[in-house]
Amino acid sequence: MIFPVSGRKVPILGKFTEKKMHRYRTHTCGELRKEHVDQTVKVSGWINSVRDHGGVIFIDLRDHYGLTQVVIDPSRPFYKGIEHWRVETTICFTGNVVARVPETVNPKLATGDIEIVADEMEILGESNVIPFLVAKDEECNETLRLQYRFLDLRRQSLHSNLILRSNVIARMRELMVANGFMEMQTPILTSSSPEGARDYLVPSRVHPGHFYALPQAPQQFKQLLMTSGFDRYFQIAPCFRDEDARADRSPGEFYQLDMEMAFATQDDVFEVNEDVLHKLFTEFSDKKVDDLPFVRVPFLEAMDKYGTDKPDLRNPLILQDCSEIFRDCGFKAFAGVVASGGVVKTIAAKGCADRSRKFFDDMIVFAQSVGAKGLGYLRWIDGEVQSPIAKFLSEDEIARLKELGQVGDGDVMFFIADKARTATEIGAAVRNELGVRLELIADDVFRFCWIVDFPMYELDDEGKVEFSHNPFSMPQGGMDDLLNKDPLDILAYQYDIVCNGVELSSGAVRNHSPELMVKAFEIAGYDKSVVEAKFPALYRAFQYGAPPHAGIAPGVDRIVMLLANEPNIREVIAFPMNQKAQDLLMGAPGQVEHKQLRELHLEIKLPKKVEQEMGEQA
RNA sequence: GGGGGUGUAGCUCAAUUGGUUAGAGCACCAGCCUGUCACGCUGGGGGUUGCGAGUUCGAGUCUCGUCACUCUCGCCA
């Protein structure tokens, strides 16, 4: 579309240049300028707006490329030819391009120097009264938008988001090819993967009782391509996962810039991705992008300082541990937590001591809403420490806190006391909330970081050792670590790339050794037969000379979402599903004919509740 | 499955402490208007306040249930 969107560079539009007299158009609605004056032209598009002066009628005609004003004089035969000049009707005009007199030039339009005086008119497709305004990007009921997605997509905001998406993907391909990658396709109908999210299943007609699964990612295929000697693979890969929606997670399907590199180290993967991401974010946004190389933060440090493995580095606040200072203090609530093995985390926030009582009360309410028992704080005002808990603390304890937080007059320290894991989670949430409420988060920058050195294993709820990420990752110390280290201390060559607190992707150096694979699974409680049964292709392929390889798969939708400055991923997807994974336009998922079920050897057994409801309807 | 928010005209929203016939802008319909560009002016139609109960003399407003949308926890190798 023609309109610049603030905070984003104007997308580059494709060129349409048809100059011969054509059935529908000689020019687009974004194309005509002063140099076209006196030419006879034909344009087609949608009626964006109508200004009927009783005599002369002005119509703004809109297409993909822009807006052009068409003038209809009362003397024209078609002046009264149609009953309504209804917006969103598609229509074709033939006429002369004339220069507008200086007073009537419209500087807001690229075509504002000229207008077309219509000689002929043809209605191409009449529009009913539209359910919401297309010409105006105002908030609108989400259900309605999804039901009339074809109209929603005509609107400036969505339309330009999808142009941006197309341009970003085109550039991705260029950059990947320039980095020596080749694009390949992998199957959509494949086998169910044993771990990960829930699969979408497709029943087989030929093999009763057997199912295909849609790939959650082309993970195993790309590793197989590495063993097949393709050196650098990429794909704009559709991924299907049956998981519940979030603002940054569309249900059902999404796209990854999937890539894998043979004979590659972690640093090789970082180098390629830094090149691609830095160029994409620099070229498609006006925001400042971190210089290369991006910061690398070990997982444990990230958890320690930010309480999360996807920190928003725009937020300058950090968590600090101050358990020892409170261990023997007079504030029994905190001392008690430390005595029972918990921790006290603090966040030092500068310059907010003069905030209102309501600010601090609201922060406590927020902390409680994310599971905190409370939120302590100390305020330094006019050389005094003010706080409900100050009277329980000695001067020495307060001095040590002041030293830890590097705070002084006008500053505040917040405290969260809980079991380590809970305090970390709450700390992360409080850190974010403080960042927002204190307006510490710059909105004109993209801050990237790599999170590295993820643990290979973690304990599940029942205290059993399990893979903490994917089982294909290479343990950092190889067989030596697997044999000799406490599993929970083993690190993996596993990494995430994070931008402004959004996890763009996980990746890893893969475990390409059958022996290491068997041992790694053994530690997680699976014997060799499980590896053979669950990953037959990879396990077999790795017996025949597998190259060391590594990869990653940044989320395309999330990248575009960040570039488009959209808070919701639906705004960068042409036909998204709603939160309940329904396509309201196409009516998916839907019921199918009995014949289809019979062919697939399927019978439907509904949950009791659904069965009752359907009975009531019938 | 759990928690929060929202639900009033086709759309976006308003409606004081529970109190008259639920209003406005846009859209729609009719009329007027020859230089507007979100044209303007006059008039009109359009509402089971998501749905169902309850409290009350009286409910858009309070309570409970339910449905829808959304954010979120769980889930997401």
Side-chain angles (χ1 to χ4, degrees):
Chain A
M1 301 288 275
I2 54 162
F3 309 97
V5 176
S6 62
R8 181 202 303 163
K9 290 181 182 171
V10 183
I12 307 149
L13 289 166
K15 287 264 186 282
F16 173 92
T17 42
E18 177 66 67
K19 291 294 170 273
K20 298 187 295 284
M21 193 43 81
H22 178 270
R23 170 69 179 82
Y24 297 115
R25 58 184 175 188
T26 57
H27 297 77
T28 72
C29 294
E31 193 178 358
L32 295 170
R33 299 290 185 276
K34 268 184 184 151
E35 64 257 33
H36 299 96
V37 167
D38 291 337
Q39 291 185 18
T40 296
V41 299
K42 188 186 269 192
V43 290
S44 288
W46 287 261
I47 298 178
N48 194 64
S49 65
V50 180
R51 294 177 293 279
D52 182 351
H53 287 254
V56 66
I57 297 171
F58 298 101
I59 287 178
D60 284 344
L61 198 65
R62 183 194 73 236
D63 67 9
H64 180 74
Y65 306 92
L67 283 177
T68 298
Q69 175 163 283
V70 177
V71 187
I72 297 162
D73 188 85
S75 64
R76 295 291 95 185
F78 55 85
Y79 178 76
K80 290 285 182 192
I82 62 173
E83 206 170 333
H84 302 283
W85 297 99
R86 191 172 276 157
V87 290
E88 298 310 316
T89 288
T90 45
I91 194 165
C92 176
F93 287 107
T94 307
N96 279 314
V97 180
V98 301
R100 299 203 198 182
V101 295
E103 306 88 270
T104 64
V105 163
N106 184 353
K108 285 191 274 184
L109 288 186
T111 59
D113 285 331
I114 56 91
E115 61 196 5
I116 298 172
V117 178
D119 289 322
E120 291 169 36
M121 182 275 286
E122 182 188 2
I123 300 282
L124 301 174
E126 261 184 272
S127 176
N128 287 340
V129 174
I130 50 177
F132 51 81
L133 300 184
V134 169
K136 186 173 157 185
D137 264 320
E138 68 179 358
E139 292 288 311
C140 174
N141 181 286
E142 195 70 27
T143 308
L144 208 59
R145 289 182 63 193
L146 292 173
Q147 280 168 346
Y148 291 88
R149 194 64 170 178
F150 49 90
L151 288 181
D152 200 14
L153 285 163
R154 289 182 197 171
R155 306 212 291 181
Q156 180 193 327
S157 159
L158 257 192
H159 204 89
S160 55
N161 282 353
L162 284 153
I163 292 170
L164 173 68
R165 182 185 176 113
S166 168
N167 291 334
V168 167
I169 289 176
R171 184 66 175 134
M172 270 177 189
R173 288 200 158 98
E174 283 175 11
L175 291 168
M176 293 304 290
V177 170
N179 272 289
F181 288 75
M182 58 184 283
E183 184 168 9
M184 303 181 81
Q185 285 73 48
T186 51
I188 299 297
L189 290 177
T190 181
S191 61
S192 177
S193 65
E195 80 305 301
R198 225 171 263 118
D199 283 317
Y200 279 102
L201 297 176
V202 178
S204 162
R205 172 182 58 83
V206 182
H207 302 277
H210 289 63
F211 293 82
Y212 302 94
L214 307 183
Q216 296 187 23
Q219 181 67 36
Q220 296 189 63
F221 288 114
K222 70 176 175 178
Q223 292 193 242
L224 288 167
L225 288 171
M226 293 297 100
T227 68
S228 304
F230 296 100
D231 200 62
R232 292 186 161 196
Y233 142 95
F234 88 99
Q235 179 177 197
I236 309 293
C239 303
F240 306 88
R241 297 181 192 175
D242 186 358
E243 54 193 4
D244 287 333
R246 288 291 181 275
D248 62 354
R249 199 169 76 195
S250 190
E253 58 197 76
F254 59 96
Y255 284 82
Q256 292 180 336
L257 171 55
D258 191 43
M259 68 182 85
E260 198 74 10
M261 305 160 67
F263 306 109
T265 64
Q266 177 169 295
D267 283 338
D268 296 325
V269 176
F270 286 8
E271 198 178 320
V272 166
N273 280 271
E274 285 176 348
D275 177 60
V276 171
L277 291 172
H278 192 274
K279 286 193 168 113
L280 285 176
F281 278 76
T282 306
E283 291 170 18
F284 290 100
S285 168
D286 287 326
K287 297 189 183 186
K288 181 174 180 337
V289 183
D290 277 336
D291 290 333
L292 295 180
F294 296 148
V295 178
R296 299 173 191 194
V297 185
F299 170 81
L300 288 176
E301 184 187 328
M303 295 307 288
D304 217 41
K305 281 170 76 173
Y306 312 110
T308 172
D309 61 1
K310 43 178 181 173
D312 186 346
L313 293 189
R314 292 174 304 171
N315 184 342
L317 300 175
I318 56 164
L319 297 170
Q320 290 177 290
D321 191 293
C322 55
S323 308
E324 287 315 310
I325 300 175
F326 285 100
R327 182 178 291 281
D328 299 313
C329 76
F331 187 45
K332 294 305 171 204
F334 282 14
V337 166
V338 177
S340 61
V343 300
V344 183
K345 290 272 188 180
T346 183
I347 297 173
K350 311 280 169 150
C352 63
D354 58 349
R355 293 276 169 154
S356 67
R357 174 68 187 266
K358 184 174 188 309
F359 170 82
F360 291 95
D361 286 349
D362 285 351
M363 280 310 301
I364 291 171
V365 169
F366 172 80
Q368 287 169 339
S369 77
V370 293
K373 295 181 187 72
L375 181 69
Y377 58 89
L378 292 175
R379 292 198 285 168
W380 279 265
I381 297 174
D382 301 329
E384 300 276 305
V385 177
Q386 293 186 16
S387 160
I389 62 174
K391 59 175 178 283
F392 300 109
L393 301 175
S394 69
E395 275 186 29
D396 175 58
E397 284 157 354
I398 289 176
R400 287 165 68 195
L401 287 170
K402 195 174 169 185
E403 169 68 21
L404 178 71
Q406 292 288 296
V407 293
D409 229 25
D411 300 338
V412 176
M413 288 178 81
F414 293 89
F415 301 95
I416 299 138
D418 219 310
K419 284 177 294 196
R421 190 170 171 173
T422 314
T424 295
E425 283 166 8
I426 294 165
V430 170
R431 174 177 175 270
N432 278 340
E433 189 70 12
L434 278 173
V436 171
R437 293 200 187 200
L438 296 174
E439 294 175 4
L440 301 173
I441 299 175
D443 70 350
D444 59 348
V445 293
F446 286 118
R447 298 292 314 274
F448 283 87
C449 62
W450 293 101
I451 307 296
V452 298
D453 300 339
F454 277 83
M456 184 86 186
Y457 300 100
E458 63 187 9
L459 294 181
D460 67 12
D461 295 336
E462 289 140 26
K464 183 178 153 300
V465 172
E466 64 174 5
F467 289 109
S468 66
H469 274 72
N470 81 49
F472 307 107
S473 302
M474 181 69 95
Q476 291 196 4
M479 187 60 95
D480 204 37
D481 270 20
L482 291 181
L483 289 172
N484 300 315
K485 271 198 173 175
D486 178 342
L488 298 180
D489 290 335
I490 299 172
L491 299 178
Y493 284 115
Q494 167 89 39
Y495 37 81
D496 282 6
I497 178 78
V498 175
C499 177
N500 288 3
V502 175
E503 183 192 314
L504 290 181
S505 180
S506 287
V509 176
R510 318 299 176 187
N511 184 345
H512 69 284
S513 150
E515 293 76 31
L516 282 180
M517 221 168 159
V518 169
K519 184 64 194 167
F521 273 80
E522 194 183 300
I523 290 171
Y526 305 104
D527 68 23
K528 186 177 172 183
S529 64
V530 175
V531 184
E532 287 170 341
K534 296 202 165 180
F535 307 102
L538 274 188
Y539 187 70
R540 192 194 308 165
F542 288 174
Q543 320 274 342
Y544 294 89
H549 57 288
I552 194 166
V556 171
D557 313 84
R558 284 188 184 171
I559 288 172
V560 178
M561 186 177 158
L562 284 169
L563 291 171
N565 211 17
E566 289 286 0
N568 193 294
I569 205 159
R570 284 188 300 273
E571 302 301 316
V572 298
I573 299 173
F575 300 102
M577 297 203 279
N578 68 7
Q579 190 161 41
K580 286 195 175 160
Q582 296 167 300
D583 179 339
L584 298 176
L585 184 54
M586 300 299 288
Q591 294 180 312
V592 296
E593 299 291 327
H594 277 294
K595 179 169 178 285
Q596 294 173 284
L597 290 176
R598 258 204 322 275
E599 282 176 345
L600 295 168
H601 325 288
L602 292 180
E603 265 180 35
I604 302 296
K605 186 161 166 46
L606 294 170
K608 276 209 177 86
K609 197 180 158 193
V610 177
E611 205 167 11
Q612 272 169 12
E613 280 164 12
M614 294 184 78
E616 281 160 22
Q617 279 168 17

